[in-house]
Amino acid sequence: MQKKYVYDFSEGNASMKMLLGGKGANLAEMTTLGIPVPFGFTITTEACAEYYALGKKNPEGLWEQVESKLALLEKKMGLTFGDNETPLLVSVRSGAAASMPGMMDTILNLGLNDAAVAGLARKTGNERFVWDAYRRFIQMFGNVVMGLKGHKFEHVLEGVKHTRGVEYDTQLTAEDLKEVVAQYKKVVVAETGTEFPSDPKEQLGLAINAVFESWNNDRAILYRKLNSITGLVGTAVNIQSMVFGNMGETSGTGVCFSRNPSTGENIFYGEYLMNAQGEDVVAGIRTPLTISALEAQNPEIYRELIGIKDRLEQHYTDMQDMEFTIQEGTLYFLQTRNGKRTAAAALRIAVDMVGEGLIDKKKALLRVDPNQLDQLLHKQLDPVAKQKAESITKGLPASPGAAVGMLCFDAHRADELARSGKKVILARTETSPEDLIGMNAAQGILTSRGGMTSHAAVVARGMGKCCVAGCGDAKIHEDAETLVIGTHVFGAGDYITLDGSTGKVYAGQMPVVDPEISGDFQKIMEWADEFRTLKIRTNADIPRDAKVAVGFGAEGIGLCRTEHMFFEGDRITAMREMILAKDVAGRKAALAKLLPYQKSDFKGLFETMGGKPVTIRLLDPPLHEFLPHEEAEQKRIAGILGIPLDELRQKIKSLAEVNPMLGHRGCRLGITYPEITAMQATAIFEAAKEVMCETGAEVVPEIMVPLIGNVKELENQKAIIDSVAKKIAPEVKYLVGTMIEVPRAALTADQIAGVAEFFSFGTNDLTQMTLGFSRDDVGKFMPDYQDKGILDNDPFAVLDQTGVGQLVEMAVKKGRSVRGGLKCGICGEHGGEPSSVAFCHKVGLDYVSCSPYRVPIARLAAAHAALKEKKE
Amino acid sequence: MQKKYVYDFSEGNASMKMLLGGKGANLAEMTTLGIPVPFGFTITTEACAEYYALGKKNPEGLWEQVESKLALLEKKMGLTFGDNETPLLVSVRSGAAASMPGMMDTILNLGLNDAAVAGLARKTGNERFVWDAYRRFIQMFGNVVMGLKGHKFEHVLEGVKHTRGVEYDTQLTAEDLKEVVAQYKKVVVAETGTEFPSDPKEQLGLAINAVFESWNNDRAILYRKLNSITGLVGTAVNIQSMVFGNMGETSGTGVCFSRNPSTGENIFYGEYLMNAQGEDVVAGIRTPLTISALEAQNPEIYRELIGIKDRLEQHYTDMQDMEFTIQEGTLYFLQTRNGKRTAAAALRIAVDMVGEGLIDKKKALLRVDPNQLDQLLHKQLDPVAKQKAESITKGLPASPGAAVGMLCFDAHRADELARSGKKVILARTETSPEDLIGMNAAQGILTSRGGMTSHAAVVARGMGKCCVAGCGDAKIHEDAETLVIGTHVFGAGDYITLDGSTGKVYAGQMPVVDPEISGDFQKIMEWADEFRTLKIRTNADIPRDAKVAVGFGAEGIGLCRTEHMFFEGDRITAMREMILAKDVAGRKAALAKLLPYQKSDFKGLFETMGGKPVTIRLLDPPLHEFLPHEEAEQKRIAGILGIPLDELRQKIKSLAEVNPMLGHRGCRLGITYPEITAMQATAIFEAAKEVMCETGAEVVPEIMVPLIGNVKELENQKAIIDSVAKKIAPEVKYLVGTMIEVPRAALTADQIAGVAEFFSFGTNDLTQMTLGFSRDDVGKFMPDYQDKGILDNDPFAVLDQTGVGQLVEMAVKKGRSVRGGLKCGICGEHGGEPSSVAFCHKVGLDYVSCSPYRVPIARLAAAHAALKEKKE
């Protein structure tokens, strides 16, 4: 039997997402629910996959199945495809299993040709609408299917508008539009050498294949990459009878959300335009009305809309993002899907829905994407400064958070600047998928056109970027690279500040403040703590950071980098003395100066953390990093040390390394200079002893030796630590453990666990060495690697589970085979990245440690991991 | 029952080496064979191990067992320990299971005190001998047991000689020696605050413990490190009744070898001194007579010696190194062991013994240490230059090979110079174990005193270093740092040349030539080929090297580094043009210039190798390495490229990397610049096609993509190679494989083997990344690591089997699980290191590839691996 490639809307349901795509499955589900959906059918994602498998050929039987469903559709609608009296028009839309807004191409009004136009005009009595539909169809079809540049058509349209002396498209008459169509057809012939296809079935066949093709266009590939979408075989194609929102003033179209996607408030939210097609609302060309305005304009339709959105939300038990069209007074639903939302909205909706009894806590937790919380953990404008400051204008608060950066008017340039470490605000009249790369790179986005559901707004919210959209007062001239707001003229490189939560725009750089956790966020965090089994620690070097992290729920310090303590104030001078000392005696004298600093740092941390565990890593970076590289500073240090400048330079030179990452650092320093380890151990034990005395809290320092690759290194360092402990603080309990960050450490973890009392995976360095990637140099090829599909993710952001993860898993197993229940954690950047946290949970780590601002993300990610495990 | 810690010589045999040490087991074996050995007993190595385990205390029962065997010894000898009429004197010697010449301490004449001296003098009627023995005993005991510096005693001795107006020790009378003894005793009291112990049993107890202690002295630890001796628990202690070679002119002592240890010739070989103790021969203070002189002096003893040496060689089926003493006309054997020998001697002895039917081929192969062959593969003096050149003097040809270097008179300084890349000749009056570090670092060693069995000679032969010993014409003044030979005066840093095969010394730097394989060497190689299963390839980049390697038996090229080809002549300019090009077109233009060079290089290699496999690695190093760093050259290149100097400098700067080892190199270059890969593939296929046409040999290039860490990288590069092949040489068969040198490649070898047609382990880089050691920077801590016992070997010389080896084994298994019989080889430096070759055999590699001059070593090592496997 032939494979079934085509399902009509009455044949599917929501569970068939992988086969029918998200949109197709939902249309089928809505149809089944009795929602007024224009009838149609869906070509499966399998058909798309086979199209590619066959070298871009339709699988056998596909077209026959399409024709048969087309016949059914004609029968249902009482219309005929290509008929010149009652012509059937359809939309052709892509729809993959994962939502990819704006990525895939859509064609409306397919089925129109000269004959059908005449028929439809007679039937509707609205000649203008029909010619407008025809010219839109030719434009879209020409663009999407025939590959013609949009501006060729825009040029024609602008020309006719100019000739007719009108400003807006809507001012064009039927006659004007006939002229536009005629010229459009000429453009097609001139550009492609072929006539615009007039046979509707030919149009449909070409359109289906164009949708298949769009699955692998650059924008789609980039979107999948940015959103880590993998495992999909292709896109489905939805063919649906057209309904028209632009059939005059009793028609319209809109987009709505069952709750506010920005705040999460349980209030019906949306925008619509009368006498318009759907694209007009989303593309942001005309600024739409808020949905509440519809109540006054057409209370009956508004009530129907409310009823349906309630049914849909109850049915899907999630906030819905819906598209509707009113055709001459009749409401149609074109689409519903779980709505994208800001992190704040996600939290509020999840908590509210638990309160409403719609979902349980577990579901609520899984509804919030841990990655998204990052938005809430972004800085906000300083409330005091904000009160005093005058904004220079206000746009729509499209995506919350504050952003400060230098203006940039080009997406690629924004990307370049960001790579070079600059903070950028991307300013565009409106954004399109081509701007994705710059939006991703920018701190925030400012547009002068478009509403809350414009491309800029939707994408920015998805990315958790601050966005002020539709800021009509802002004149953005991309070519001239100027932003003019009233009397203010800003050029590229000038600083501005955006407040995405209020829509306000400020000149210059405003102060920003750190976020805090309260309300819904706090509740979700509490629920997360109920379910997660992973402990969450933080990477903090100073009491201030530790305090922030504890506020965010950190249960300990997983990594205190002692070297950071050496850069402050006078310390660096003592540190340099130590490094440049000629002998052990000189080194010891300098170390004696550093000891009180270290001790007071550690006391501060122990005090802040109360009895919570604190893991202190011994000196790690190559000593060269501490040395002065500028002449003035070199002179000063030479003076302090009483050595000739030349000698100092010679010493600095001799400490330079070809590959410092793989050089004289980590425990290698403690082995060649045991007095450094002894000083650090002394500082730790004295601090612990004193804090225990002063506060009564039990302090059990966890001393971590970095860069171990060989158990004998650890034995060597542990002996020094043990002997210091015995001498100065025999009453203090402590653990000596190691970073697992050299591949050999993972490979010989069974040997190392014989000595180490805990393992902490330093996945930054482990990634560098396992992949052979220097984090400092990887920019030279990483973009190519991502573009060419060699890497899906930056392995320094998302743990490489296949390679690095294999070593982590191996080390945990080997380590625990020797020391049962060995405490294992992770302290690389990955400790705050959700998919990596899930991996840590899976391989049985005890905790993850991450930067303070990622602690809440890690808490939720850990809960997700535990909940998903139970599901499986 | 109590453990047996003491065995008398009649209780043991040769198989008890681990327990009794080499010397003890051999003394027992000789006793059992009926060889005249002074009777005695041995304290086991276990006793030494327990001594350490107990925190340096004798295990329970040890002393009682010693006393009981002492009683037996007294009975056998008819002498009494500590007796003032017929006193028993003993020697106390260390003896571990592995030979460690000169490393452990020895005490002779133990049992002497004032009473015994009187008794012995009466008994022997030779007062002078007795007082000489007494002063020697005090000196040795004071030094070894009481820790007194040797020069304190030497000072006394020289003083008495000076007072008496004599030059040599032998000129001192009994009375003089009494005075020496009296002063020695005062030295002991002055230095230690205690009297010299007079109770012989107390002396024995202290001596035994001193031997135990010597197991862990610095020299012993260094020797074990240099010789990779591990797995031993301690040293045995041999207590043996003394016989005296210094009882007058009918007494003597000697060292002999059953065959010539330098050439292997089957001729009795040795040296002796009349009226001397054993130390006098070995230490090289007096220059001894050759053994053949004994035939005339005492034909009976000589015949007895010949008879015993024949029996011993037959018994042990190996060349023997024996020590004997003649006491007043009676011959005693003190020791026999398998003799150390030069590589040439090892080959000759092995081949001869097979000819003599003494051993079979397998045994013969195992008798030759592959590491030792390196000596024969060292350069020799150019024969032409040698014929013309006048040597300035001649010493003993103590260890063969040629050495050219700058003079150095201090062992530690020699070590420093060698570390900084200098070639050094160490010149010393005589060497002692304290000089080991410098001997190891030097190219060659020159001594003015000592014979063929002097410390310098024995150690140099073991190390395979060139050594000219006992060069009496050479006046070496360590303090003044001068070497005076006739009218020539050389200072530190002046160049000289040594020929260790003839003993000749030349002024300045002489030309040297490469070795070749013939005669016994050739035969051993042929036998090795019969038994080995590993194939041996070579690392060669140019036809000349490939030719040398084929001469040495290479069966293919395992690694041709294409980048080396770019440094010659004009090529580097084209290479720089390529790197500095602004765009793809510029790069392609420069690559087009490089193509003919590459092609002709590859043709040369293919021609040289006939049909043998040739593995070509694509461009590997970071591009920065090719760029000019000096201003003049930068100016020239800027001129050629027609760009401003500043722009060039900017570009060079932008290509610099923080960690080039982990940067933009290897396949990463081919991925960002696919045109480089395409050019190299084009050169390979065109060369292969033409050579096949021209020579008829089938050329199957093996194209190796470096630095793969992710199968997608290989897919990317293979696609380029395949497309070039298809286009220009569809008839050429080829393989595309990869280096496994990034840890992730080993971890994901199953994925990679889906694409790779062969694996070649790049263990240099794999070691760098697995251990996190930069080869360029490791010198900063490696000496400390070796001194502190953290590393036994330099992991860049000897494969780290536990860590890196684990990845190699994993990759082979994973790779072959996907692609059965996947061809696997190794092309790092380790491919020519015997223990690493054995590992490669064990984990099932198909071949090892090493530098041309190590091919014979690899062949023999591979045979050893195969033979040892069969044994197990």
Side-chain angles (χ1 to χ4, degrees), chain B residues 512-568:
Chain B
V512 290
V513 292
D514 296 334
E516 60 172 345
I517 297 183
S518 57
D520 299 325
F521 199 166
Q522 181 63 27
K523 186 140 282 171
I524 288 286
M525 286 295 106
E526 283 163 19
W527 294 348
D529 293 349
E530 283 176 35
F531 294 102
R532 71 181 161 90
T533 55
L534 267 178
K535 298 265 178 210
I536 313 295
R537 296 195 187 183
T538 190
N539 300 348
D541 310 333
I542 53 174
R544 190 186 64 220
D545 290 352
K547 216 164 177 174
V548 169
V550 169
F552 283 158
E555 296 162 291
I557 291 180
L559 175 63
C560 161
R561 306 172 201 83
T562 52
E563 56 271 18
H564 288 186
M565 300 174 169
F566 292 128
F567 281 101
E568 282 176 33

Side-chain angles (χ1 to χ4, degrees), chain A residues 330-380:
Chain A
T330 307
L331 177 67
Y332 290 97
F333 264 66
L334 301 181
Q335 156 165 309
T336 191
R337 56 187 173 190
N338 292 337
K340 287 192 177 286
R341 63 206 76 179
T342 62
L347 291 169
R348 176 153 185 186
I349 291 168
V351 172
D352 283 357
M353 283 189 171
V354 171
E356 294 159 22
L358 218 55
I359 56 175
D360 63 11
K361 281 187 207 172
K362 293 180 192 176
K363 251 191 186 146
L365 285 170
L366 292 170
R367 284 283 163 79
V368 183
D369 175 1
N371 270 315
Q372 220 186 0
L373 293 182
D374 192 35
Q375 291 174 29
L376 299 178
L377 299 163
H378 277 160
K379 297 175 187 308
Q380 302 282 334

Side-chain angles (χ1 to χ4, degrees), chain A residues 653-665 667-668 670-674 707 709-710 712-713 716 742-748 751 768-778 780-781 784-785 788-792 800-804 806-807 810 814, chain B residues 653-665 667-668 670-674 707 709-710 712-713 716 742-748 751 768-778 780-781 784-785 788-792 800-804 806-807 810 814:
Chain A
K653 205 174 152 195
S654 78
L655 283 167
E657 292 180 304
V658 179
N659 296 291
M661 172 64 220
L662 307 177
H664 194 191
R665 54 173 287 241
C667 68
R668 299 165 194 175
I671 288 168
T672 52
Y673 305 126
L707 215 70
N710 183 324
K712 289 183 190 166
E713 295 172 317
N716 175 299
V742 174
R744 194 180 192 278
L747 292 164
T748 62
Q751 295 178 4
Q768 294 201 87
M769 293 183 225
T770 304
L771 274 60
F773 283 2
S774 160
R775 195 140 73 136
D776 298 311
D777 305 311
V778 81
K780 290 213 164 64
F781 56 90
D784 270 318
Y785 267 50
K788 294 186 182 180
I790 290 169
L791 285 177
D792 291 329
D800 161 38
Q801 297 182 15
T802 315
V804 179
Q806 200 179 136
L807 286 176
M810 179 192 300
K814 285 192 174 192
Chain B
K653 202 173 153 195
S654 78
L655 283 167
E657 292 180 305
V658 179
N659 297 291
M661 172 65 219
L662 308 176
H664 194 192
R665 54 173 287 241
C667 68
R668 299 164 195 174
I671 289 167
T672 52
Y673 305 125
L707 214 70
N710 182 324
K712 289 183 189 168
E713 295 172 317
N716 174 298
V742 174
R744 194 180 192 278
L747 292 164
T748 62
Q751 295 177 4
Q768 295 201 85
M769 292 184 226
T770 305
L771 273 60
F773 283 2
S774 160
R775 197 141 71 136
D776 299 310
D777 305 310
V778 82
K780 290 212 164 67
F781 56 91
D784 270 320
Y785 266 50
K788 295 186 182 180
I790 290 169
L791 285 178
D792 291 329
D800 161 39
Q801 296 183 16
T802 315
V804 179
Q806 197 178 142
L807 285 176
M810 179 191 299
K814 286 191 175 195

Side-chain angles (χ1 to χ4, degrees), chain B residues 278-290:
Chain B
E279 302 309 295
D280 301 334
V281 181
V282 180
I285 310 280
R286 284 161 61 193
T287 300
L289 304 172
T290 60

Side-chain angles (χ1 to χ4, degrees), chain B residues 394-408:
Chain B
K394 192 174 173 220
L396 298 172
S399 184
V404 181
M406 45 174 55
L407 274 168
C408 178

Side-chain angles (χ1 to χ4, degrees), chain B residues 456-503:
Chain B
V458 170
V459 171
R461 280 201 295 275
M463 286 177 172
K465 301 263 173 209
C466 161
C467 175
V468 173
C471 184
D473 290 346
K475 307 292 169 215
I476 296 174
H477 304 286
E478 282 92 349
D479 293 345
E481 298 204 319
T482 56
L483 162 66
V484 181
I485 301 175
T487 57
H488 295 85
V489 180
F490 302 92
D494 289 343
Y495 278 93
I496 64 165
T497 299
L498 303 180
D499 183 348
S501 311
T502 62

